[in-house]
Amino acid sequence: MRNLLSKISPVKLLLSAAHSLFLVFLTFALLYIDFPYSDDKLVISMTSLFEKFILNIDKKPDRSGFLFVNSSYENELITKYDEAGFEIGNLSITSRESLYRFLSRVNSIKGSYKFILCNVQFNEPSPYDSALFAEMSKNKKIIVPVDYNAETGNNIIPDNILSGYALYPLYGGEYLKYRLMDDDTSKSIPLLIYEKMSNSRMEMGFPVNSMNGACGFNNVIIDYVVRKHDLDYKLTDMPFPFVNLREVMDLPDEVFEPMIKDRLILIGDFREKDNYQTTFGDMPGTLILLNVLLTLENGKNIISFSFLMLIFLFYGILSYYIFNVTEQEKLSEKLSRHRVLKFFGKFIGFVFILIVFSVFSYLIYNIHLNVFIIGLYLNLLDTMIIKYSNKKTVNETEILK
Amino acid sequence: MKKYLLFAIIIINFSLFAQDTWYYVIQVKGVVINASTKKTIKAGDKLRSIDKIDFKDANGVIKVINPDEGIYNLSPAYSKKRGKEFQYLVKAVMSPLLGSTRVIFYKKSIDFGETVADDVLGDSALYFGPQELEIYPWRGQQGNDDKYLFEYTYKGKLYSDSLSKVKETLQLYTGLENVLNDDIKGPLGINAQIIRMVNNKRQIYRSFRLIIPEKQSLINEINMVVRAMRESGKEAEEIDWVIGETLKINYPNCNYDWSPFGKWLKENTEYK
């Protein structure tokens, strides 16, 4: 042991610690950039499936805390106008009258529900809007979606109604991760609900955001604990309460009240159009938002101290391995005939180590690393350091001669 | 009248096997009796989890709601059997992979000219009518004067037809229908060969088993698939893919070309 410790160079140790800090920063910076890295996608998808299939880690929230209201089959036709204001036909939208009736009934049972997420698009005006918006503004526990891009979006929601962006255009790929906020004024629906329900506030930062004194990621891996499957009594023994808007509106009070009491009410299209591709198949947009909210509630976007220590230590060991160039490595580099192959071989080695760590950190902390980019960087650094060491040795030999 | 006595409510969920769990009846179709109270069930009734339901006709349905479980349609066909979530997830996971298979599958079929003969015929090829076969130089450069023959054995007799060639494409099975005029009920396998004649010397270009599918059962199955998928609003591409998968399941490891198959589908099935 003493022999081993005596071999450790304090300078290299310090250098490794500094480099480890840099790598931690680089990791967080890469996670900050919302870009669909293909390696990221593969590792996240496979690990999610491993978690749910093999490890059977799939704890569902208490279903009595939710009510899923399907608005797919509650529509109205409104007149559609072109950009010059000429009538060009009609458009089917979610019936604002039915929404108004439902919300006014819910509001009449004061303070009974937790929150309402009304994931219905309000891009086109309807004759019932004024009544509906008046009903919505009565209670501050209702949130509606607005367009992600406020400048180009067509938003008719009054300012006194809580609103946030729901889903945003992805540059290819699927909703594996979700951007919680765009800036301090543009926040997503799940984040806003979480802030209201937990009385907290997230602020934008780089490379991580801050939330009530803790550090958290802006792009969070969605833990899909409630899936489409869970809403269909024909597919599961433990279905979450799922109703159609029309069916629930006319229920007597004795049935209606327990259905909304202390629940998060999610109104949206769960059946027809509002579906997005995810690792777990098609997922209604409202379910994606719910899963983001549940991910936040479980603190899975928060960077814990133990994770920081773990990643620091992990990168520290990797850095020391890179900085500590052995004679054997130098010799191997000199004698190597297939340098490109060797380079790729080493790269695969780094990526493999990073994947193992990434899977572990995902299972414990819900955090994945961008293995490809970091692996490539480490490999380049390693190659350069070995080359530099060899060059230095040659120079020293020449001086001695 | 046949009775359908079901312990319908009880089987909804064992975890809620408690007398205080109730189910509110929203709608009723047909005559349904609450066997515990001997009363006809109507909209607005509340059922307990221990109630037994007696469906007086096979088409009877009651729609019930429970705050913790949402809405159920209970009928004599109601079954507690559930598809395992594991299977559901595997299907979901496989869908992107199958999607990529689909792309390859279509590429093979539609861009026929870009595929090699082996991919189209394989060891077993399905017959859906005349099709084309791209040919490639074999054992040296292909000569312009080379002739090709299609040989097959049917009912113990060897048939041989010369194949017409347009540039590098052979017209396959053009004369086969005349021979196969008999009503073939079941699937039929025929040993077939494509012979290349070079300077009057025979060379076996391809040797494979030609499968003639069981027509009526395939038509019925495809019609059922098409109907079901249209009813559930699936897009044409998805229907195409499922038809392809249906064929693969019925005739595993058999290759085929989409061009004659598509024509066959349009002529014989509800596929459009």
Side-chain angles (χ1 to χ4, degrees):
Chain A
M1 185 70 181
R2 190 179 288 173
N3 199 17
L4 187 74
L5 285 174
S6 66
K7 281 183 181 174
I8 294 174
S9 153
V11 178
K12 282 176 185 170
L13 207 60
L14 270 175
L15 202 60
S16 304
H19 186 248
S20 177
L21 279 177
F22 166 72
L23 282 177
V24 171
F25 179 83
L26 178 70
T27 301
F28 291 170
L30 286 170
L31 293 174
Y32 175 86
I33 302 162
D34 186 17
F35 184 79
Y37 305 102
S38 57
D39 61 313
D40 214 17
K41 189 186 160 198
L42 185 71
V43 177
I44 293 171
S45 295
M46 296 315 286
T47 321
S48 306
L49 300 171
F50 178 74
E51 184 191 26
K52 308 277 189 244
F53 284 169
I54 313 295
L55 302 180
N56 212 15
I57 303 170
D58 194 22
K59 195 169 179 261
K60 310 271 179 198
D62 181 9
R63 55 186 180 163
S64 64
F66 302 92
L67 176 67
F68 295 88
V69 182
N70 180 33
S71 62
S72 308
Y73 311 117
E74 203 62 29
N75 299 310
E76 64 172 309
L77 277 180
I78 57 164
T79 309
K80 177 71 185 168
Y81 301 93
D82 67 8
E83 58 280 5
F86 294 110
E87 193 176 320
I88 53 171
N90 54 41
L91 185 72
S92 171
I93 59 166
T94 303
S95 169
R96 308 272 165 90
E97 185 195 5
S98 299
L99 276 177
Y100 161 71
R101 282 178 56 211
F102 177 72
L103 291 178
S104 71
R105 190 154 179 217
V106 170
N107 275 340
S108 68
I109 308 163
K110 289 202 184 316
S112 59
Y113 59 87
K114 257 193 210 164
F115 220 97
I116 296 178
L117 161 54
C118 183
N119 190 23
V120 170
Q121 292 305 313
F122 291 97
N123 296 329
E124 303 283 344
S126 149
Y128 295 97
D129 283 351
S130 51
L132 175 64
F133 293 151
E135 202 58 52
M136 281 180 169
S137 58
K138 276 183 189 171
N139 200 320
K140 299 298 173 198
K141 291 195 292 182
I142 296 176
I143 191 164
V144 292
V146 286
D147 278 331
Y148 179 68
N149 191 336
E151 286 172 11
T152 57
N154 187 15
N155 181 24
I156 59 166
I157 302 286
D159 290 340
N160 60 349
I161 296 171
L162 184 63
S163 61
Y165 67 80
L167 299 163
Y168 46 86
L170 292 174
Y171 304 107
E174 54 196 46
Y175 279 100
L176 287 170
K177 287 185 175 184
Y178 185 83
R179 190 185 303 147
L180 294 173
M181 57 196 291
D182 205 35
D183 55 51
D184 284 329
T185 56
S186 173
K187 292 188 174 182
S188 66
I189 282 180
L191 179 62
L192 285 166
I193 298 177
Y194 179 72
E195 285 185 343
K196 293 279 173 194
M197 281 171 46
S198 63
N199 203 21
S200 54
R201 186 172 165 77
M202 182 177 259
E203 278 169 20
M204 197 79 179
F206 178 80
V208 290
N209 292 357
S210 67
M211 186 178 247
N212 290 3
C215 291
F217 289 112
N218 193 35
N219 294 305
V220 60
I221 297 172
I222 308 170
D223 185 15
Y224 285 103
V225 287
V226 182
R227 300 180 281 275
K228 202 175 177 181
H229 182 95
D230 295 309
L231 303 187
D232 193 338
Y233 74 94
K234 294 191 283 297
L235 298 173
T236 175
D237 285 331
M238 301 284 280
F240 278 75
F242 175 87
V243 293
N244 291 305
L245 183 54
R246 182 167 294 186
E247 289 169 329
V248 77
M249 273 193 302
D250 298 324
L251 290 173
D253 285 347
E254 58 176 327
V255 184
F256 189 79
E257 282 186 30
M259 294 213 74
I260 61 161
K261 197 169 167 38
D262 298 328
R263 287 170 194 256
L264 173 62
I265 302 170
L266 299 121
I267 306 168
D269 177 355
F270 291 94
R271 286 284 186 260
E272 296 294 325
K273 295 172 192 164
D274 190 29
N275 284 306
Y276 301 86
Q277 183 63 40
T278 70
T279 305
F280 299 97
D282 279 353
M283 194 74 71
T286 313
L287 260 191
I288 295 177
L289 299 177
L290 170 66
N291 282 299
V292 175
L293 176 64
L294 294 172
T295 308
L296 288 175
E297 281 184 344
N298 291 328
K300 289 190 167 180
N301 70 315
I302 298 295
I303 304 165
S304 66
F305 182 71
S306 61
F307 174 75
L308 271 178
M309 284 295 100
L310 186 75
I311 195 169
F312 176 74
L313 195 68
F314 171 70
Y315 280 147
I317 294 167
L318 270 182
S319 302
Y320 192 85
Y321 163 77
I322 291 167
F323 291 130
N324 188 36
V325 183
T326 60
E327 290 304 317
Q328 199 181 346
E329 279 178 305
K330 284 183 197 174
L331 195 65
S332 163
E333 169 69 20
K334 270 183 186 173
L335 299 176
S336 177
R337 286 181 181 178
H338 307 286
R339 291 192 176 175
V340 177
L341 271 180
K342 202 182 169 199
F343 181 84
F344 279 108
K346 249 189 183 181
F347 171 62
I348 290 166
F350 276 119
V351 167
F352 178 75
I353 292 166
L354 287 166
I355 285 177
V356 171
F357 182 81
S358 192
V359 169
F360 175 75
S361 79
Y362 172 76
L363 293 174
I364 308 291
Y365 302 102
N366 199 47
I367 299 167
H368 261 301
L369 315 181
N370 291 111
V371 292
F372 187 81
I373 296 173
I374 297 172
L376 190 66
Y377 163 75
L378 291 176
N379 195 30
L380 282 170
L381 184 71
D382 187 50
T383 312
M384 277 161 57
I385 286 176
I386 293 171
K387 271 191 185 299
Y388 173 75
S389 300
N390 271 335
K391 205 175 171 186
K392 206 174 146 192
T393 316
V394 170
N395 287 342
E396 281 168 2
T397 319
E398 281 173 358
I399 290 164
L400 283 172
K401 278 179 183 174
Chain B
M1 187 181 285
K2 192 179 178 184
K3 282 190 177 182
Y4 298 85
L5 185 65
L6 284 188
F7 298 89
I9 300 298
I10 294 170
I11 62 172
I12 288 174
N13 189 347
F14 286 104
S15 69
L16 290 170
F17 188 69
Q19 287 202 21
D20 57 351
T21 304
W22 49 265
Y23 295 85
Y24 179 79
V25 180
I26 303 175
Q27 289 179 65
V28 183
K29 244 186 206 176
V31 180
V32 189
I33 307 287
N34 184 339
S36 310
T37 60
K38 310 281 181 206
K39 284 181 181 170
T40 306
I41 295 171
K42 57 186 188 306
D45 283 355
K46 265 187 175 180
L47 302 171
R48 294 166 303 161
S49 58
I50 53 165
D51 285 342
K52 293 169 186 173
I53 307 166
D54 186 0
F55 288 95
K56 290 290 180 187
D57 60 85
N59 298 322
V61 188
I62 54 171
K63 180 170 262 191
V64 295
I65 188 166
N66 170 278
D68 289 336
E69 295 169 61
I71 286 175
Y72 285 83
N73 280 340
L74 296 172
S75 69
Y78 180 84
S79 163
K80 194 183 175 293
K81 267 192 179 176
R82 303 276 176 270
K84 287 208 180 307
E85 190 174 16
F86 180 80
Q87 289 168 348
Y88 167 82
L89 290 177
V90 168
K91 273 186 190 169
V93 172
M94 290 301 287
S95 61
L97 301 175
L98 292 173
S100 60
T101 308
R102 172 172 49 183
V103 173
I104 294 162
F105 165 75
Y106 277 120
K107 188 150 182 65
K108 274 183 184 174
S109 309
I110 293 169
D111 301 337
F112 185 61
E114 292 174 12
T115 59
V116 293
D118 284 10
D119 285 334
V120 179
L121 299 175
D123 292 332
S124 299
L126 284 170
Y127 170 76
F128 289 107
Q131 69 178 63
E132 294 179 332
L133 178 72
E134 191 84 355
I135 50 173
Y136 289 87
W138 183 79
R139 286 187 193 172
Q141 194 62 40
Q142 181 186 329
N144 285 334
D145 299 330
D146 295 348
K147 288 190 168 54
Y148 289 85
L149 298 172
F150 177 57
E151 290 186 355
Y152 55 96
T153 311
Y154 178 57
K155 289 186 175 176
K157 191 180 168 189
L158 180 72
Y159 292 84
S160 182
D161 286 332
S162 62
L163 293 175
S164 64
K165 191 176 90 173
V166 181
K167 290 185 179 173
E168 292 183 334
T169 308
L170 292 178
Q171 309 299 312
L172 266 186
Y173 315 137
T174 44
L176 197 64
E177 277 168 331
N178 300 329
V179 181
L180 301 176
N181 266 339
D182 304 1
D183 283 336
I184 299 164
K185 294 276 191 293
L188 177 72
I190 295 172
N191 292 326
Q193 283 184 329
I194 296 170
I195 308 291
R196 183 186 181 209
M197 300 295 290
V198 184
N199 301 328
N200 290 328
K201 280 187 181 171
R202 284 166 59 90
Q203 293 173 343
I204 299 172
Y205 181 75
R206 291 288 299 137
S207 186
F208 60 102
R209 194 151 170 84
L210 186 64
I211 309 291
I212 288 114
E214 192 176 359
K215 195 173 174 184
Q216 199 50 51
S217 65
L218 193 61
I219 290 171
N220 293 345
E221 193 169 347
I222 287 169
N223 281 344
M224 195 177 72
V225 165
V226 171
R227 252 176 263 144
M229 291 195 73
R230 277 186 186 146
E231 276 168 20
S232 56
K234 298 290 179 194
E235 289 178 4
E237 196 193 26
E238 285 178 285
I239 298 175
D240 288 355
W241 180 72
V242 173
I243 288 174
E245 291 300 303
T246 308
L247 198 60
K248 278 186 197 172
I249 290 163
N250 280 289
Y251 297 95
N253 304 319
C254 288
N255 293 14
Y256 66 96
D257 177 28
W258 182 263
S259 170
F261 180 47
K263 201 178 159 198
W264 182 90
L265 284 170
K266 279 175 187 160
E267 283 170 359
N268 296 290
T269 67
E270 293 175 15
Y271 170 88
K272 291 282 175 286

